[in-house]
Amino acid sequence: MASQPEPAVSPFLDPGPRTKAHSLAILQLSRDNLLPVYLQPPTGEHDGYAEGAVVNTRYGSFPHYTMLNVPWGSQIRASKVDTGSRGRKRKRDGADDTSREATAAASEKDGEGPGAVATPTQETGGGGGGGGGGAPVVKQAVADSSGFIHVLPPTPELWTTSLPHRTQVVYTPDYSYILHRIRARPGSTLIEAGAGSGSFSHAAVRAVYNGYPAAAAAAAAGGQRKGKVFSFEYHEDRYHKMKQEISDHGLDGLIQLTHRDVYNGGFLVDGKSPEADAIFLDLPAPWEALPHLSRRRPPPSLWPSGAPPPGLDDPARAWVSPLHPRKTVHLCTFSPCIEQVTRTVSAMRRLGWVDIDMVEIANRRLHASRDRVGLNLVNFDRGVNNSAKDVEEAVTRLAEIEARFREHAAKARSRAAGAGAGAGAGAGGADAAGAGDVDMDSDDETAAAAAAGDGNTAPRPAAEEEEETAAAKTDGLPPWMEGRLITRGEPEIKTHTSYLVFAALPMEWTEEDEARAAAKYPVGQEQKVIGTIDKAIRKQERREQLQKQQPGSKKARRKERDEKLGEVLG
């Protein structure tokens, strides 16, 4: 039987080097503002825009075709878009449509209206070249100066930040640690209960992915085990929305979503075992689902209600475990309250889970920056504190101000003395005094300020300021390397309280396993086991070992070492 064709690889697993139409892209508007968008090819007017589908943000408008066929991470400039008939949508009869078309044709003939500047673009978007016959015609957008964005490939981390929240999501610091502790790796089978918004599902499928599952016949013939996520969701609306997202993201063959109440229905899929070796439970009451995760049928006393759910209470019915029979299974439960943790741990102990451990993750982001402080820095630069960085710089600046004050005072006295000498000369005295007054005004009132004793108001000469600025720029360090490197933590932790409870359930040890281990490691034929040897015997064996390694007395060994050292130095 011919194998089924493998589906196209999801953009979350291999986005390729460039953006593509009908694929998911993450638009980065700012550092913490991300917007998921399915890029659409240009198909003519869309929602009243002549440029086709358009994304409107606070930084401008961005037609979809400007973001197609560009490398991931590209910067996209905003565009000036033509809204066309946007805002005037109403049903028109045939006469109105005919009249509008006639008016548009007349405007284009006269060189006016939107049709005069419209140019065709190819359907694949993002580049030059006109489309062929029958290709949709959209208006060529004009670059705008309002702003720009970056187009990024979809990853679980970016999807967690930008996804539409239907429930409280599991954030990156939590699920990265969870996947590490439950040992999710390529080829693993993972059970997730409580899909919610799908944040953990996308991260888990990337962790277990090692190829898309083949046809059932090929798998039954001994094909390679492929990684897969079996996800369960109780809420019907959330189930349908996540089902659509899985299909849109190309993850149909890797995530199998089931609408079920796992408290009563368990974790089997179509009556068969998923054979999971990693489990994550994001449920309000995980202890009610734990009895289903057993290798053998739990007794009635271990069920929360005192009896198995309907359908599992028939002793004649064979028990099918959802766990892998030949591997140790690792489990994690996600609970926001310590009371939930207490009941979960109690149920784990009764059901045979071991290595139980609870962890709380408190993630805090640190912002690193340069602390630039100094009087020689330009106050208009970002992150600059234009003040004295230490006492020495403050004293130096005061000395410069005092020196300038004395200099200006000396100039003022010399000008006043010259004016007095001109007045005593006779008839030209008045003219000399007038010239002195003009001299005072031409010096930008600096001398008057100095004479008044206000040294701080005296402006610095432009030449000195230019010299200091040039010296600051040419001190050998770029501006981003100046100042002391400091880090500041967030004022509050941007996450939610969560307690992670980890546990492990070892594989069942059968008589065949015991016989195989006994044949490989026979019991009773050990040699010199430490616990069976007397302390005095061990000391004697140690002395004999040292004598074999270093024959002769300590004095002889020291003499031999000194001789070798003398030969090397000599």
Side-chain angles (χ1 to χ4, degrees):
M1 180 182 295
S3 61
Q4 297 179 357
E6 296 289 346
V9 180
S10 168
F12 279 85
L13 304 174
D14 185 12
R18 307 175 77 87
T19 60
K20 296 178 292 186
H22 304 292
S23 182
L24 178 66
I26 307 296
L27 307 185
Q28 185 183 34
L29 310 183
S30 61
R31 179 177 180 180
D32 296 321
N33 190 1
L34 304 176
L35 179 67
V37 172
Y38 292 93
L39 300 179
Q40 302 296 327
T43 56
E45 182 177 339
H46 181 274
D47 197 21
Y49 289 102
E51 291 81 3
V54 176
V55 177
N56 292 302
T57 71
R58 59 182 296 186
Y59 303 102
S61 300
F62 302 88
H64 280 213
Y65 77 85
T66 62
M67 297 180 281
L68 288 174
N69 198 28
V70 298
W72 293 111
S74 299
Q75 183 186 93
I76 308 298
R77 292 288 302 275
S79 302
K80 298 179 181 179
V81 298
D82 180 14
T83 59
S85 61
R86 183 174 177 84
R88 301 192 302 274
K89 294 181 181 179
R90 62 181 180 87
K91 293 184 178 180
R92 300 180 175 89
D93 55 15
D96 290 340
D97 294 338
T98 304
S99 176
R100 184 178 58 178
E101 292 175 0
T103 305
S107 300
E108 291 180 7
K109 184 177 180 180
D110 296 337
E112 300 175 355
V117 296
T119 57
T121 59
Q122 59 184 4
E123 183 175 355
T124 54
V137 177
V138 297
K139 181 177 178 180
Q140 184 69 34
V142 180
D144 196 2
S145 59
S146 59
F148 60 87
I149 60 175
H150 291 88
V151 56
L152 305 177
T155 63
E157 292 78 15
L158 297 180
W159 180 246
T160 298
T161 307
S162 60
L163 60 80
H165 284 211
R166 298 182 287 271
T167 59
Q168 180 64 266
V169 302
V170 183
Y171 290 99
T172 301
D174 291 322
Y175 68 61
S176 59
Y177 184 76
I178 292 171
L179 292 171
H180 165 70
R181 287 290 302 268
I182 64 177
R183 303 187 184 184
R185 61 194 69 181
S188 299
T189 300
L190 189 144
I191 287 179
E192 176 199 14
S197 300
S199 171
F200 184 84
S201 305
H202 286 75
V205 74
R206 182 183 61 180
V208 305
Y209 171 73
N210 66 334
Y212 281 81
Q224 181 186 6
R225 178 183 173 93
K226 300 294 183 181
K228 194 169 184 179
V229 176
F230 291 89
S231 186
F232 298 86
E233 176 56 47
Y234 171 71
H235 195 275
E236 187 173 0
D237 291 341
R238 292 198 293 263
Y239 163 77
H240 289 297
K241 290 179 181 178
M242 185 174 174
K243 188 75 173 177
Q244 184 62 39
E245 285 181 355
I246 291 173
S247 179
D248 294 340
H249 298 168
L251 299 172
D252 288 309
L254 300 173
I255 301 178
Q256 184 168 346
L257 186 63
T258 304
H259 177 223
R260 181 185 301 168
D261 175 17
V262 295
Y263 295 153
N264 298 315
F267 299 92
L268 302 183
V269 180
D270 298 330
K272 299 180 180 179
S273 172
E275 295 188 354
D277 50 22
I279 302 170
F280 175 66
L281 302 181
D282 186 5
L283 302 172
W287 57 90
E288 296 188 13
L290 284 176
H292 295 279
L293 300 171
S294 301
R295 299 193 184 276
R296 296 180 179 272
R297 186 192 306 273
S301 60
L302 295 183
W303 294 92
S305 60
L312 298 177
D313 51 359
D314 185 5
R317 181 181 177 182
W319 175 264
V320 180
S321 174
L323 309 180
H324 196 286
R326 306 302 302 166
K327 287 186 177 180
T328 298
V329 179
H330 297 272
L331 166 72
C332 175
T333 65
F334 186 94
S335 302
C337 300
I338 198 64
E339 292 80 7
Q340 295 170 311
V341 172
T342 303
R343 298 191 63 177
T344 301
V345 171
S346 178
M348 285 179 175
R349 289 173 175 168
R350 293 196 304 269
L351 291 168
W353 293 84
V354 297
D355 293 340
I356 301 174
D357 184 25
M358 189 193 78
V359 176
E360 180 185 7
I361 297 177
N363 180 58
R364 184 185 295 273
R365 180 180 296 177
L366 297 177
H367 175 67
S369 62
R370 293 277 178 177
D371 188 16
R372 302 175 61 195
V373 180
L375 295 172
N376 61 331
L377 300 175
V378 180
N379 196 26
F380 298 103
D381 290 349
R382 185 176 181 181
V384 168
N385 184 1
N386 191 229
S387 60
K389 60 183 178 182
D390 50 25
V391 176
E392 183 179 357
E393 185 175 10
V395 172
T396 303
R397 174 55 60 90
L398 290 175
E400 293 176 357
I401 294 175
E402 292 293 334
R404 272 193 234 104
F405 169 75
R406 289 192 294 270
E407 181 181 352
H408 288 295
K411 289 181 179 179
R413 286 194 297 270
S414 64
R415 283 194 292 268
D431 294 338
D437 293 339
V438 173
D439 238 359
M440 291 287 290
D441 294 336
S442 65
D443 201 16
D444 296 332
E445 301 179 356
T446 56
D454 189 6
N456 294 329
T457 59
R460 299 170 59 189
E464 292 183 10
E465 293 184 354
E466 292 177 359
E467 289 177 2
E468 290 187 8
T469 304
K473 292 182 179 180
T474 59
D475 58 354
L477 286 177
W480 59 87
M481 293 294 291
E482 296 177 354
R484 181 182 52 166
L485 184 63
I486 58 175
T487 57
R488 293 186 178 92
E490 291 178 327
E492 61 183 34
I493 299 177
K494 296 180 180 179
T495 184
H496 55 83
T497 303
S498 59
Y499 300 109
L500 309 177
V501 181
F502 297 93
L505 186 64
M507 60 173 281
E508 277 193 333
W509 195 254
T510 63
E511 295 181 0
E512 291 78 7
D513 296 328
E514 184 70 26
R516 193 180 303 110
K520 187 175 182 180
Y521 307 102
V523 180
Q525 301 180 12
E526 300 85 357
Q527 296 180 356
K528 294 184 178 180
V529 180
I530 293 179
T532 61
I533 301 178
D534 186 71
K535 184 176 181 180
I537 299 177
R538 292 202 303 271
K539 288 186 176 181
Q540 182 63 28
E541 290 180 352
R542 180 59 179 167
R543 294 192 193 97
E544 294 175 357
Q545 184 180 7
L546 292 175
Q547 290 177 0
K548 291 179 181 179
Q549 293 177 354
Q550 299 177 353
S553 63
K554 185 182 295 184
K555 185 176 181 181
R557 292 196 300 271
R558 187 183 298 111
K559 183 178 180 182
E560 183 180 357
R561 183 191 61 189
D562 294 341
E563 290 177 354
K564 291 182 178 180
L565 184 60
E567 292 177 1
V568 173
L569 298 177

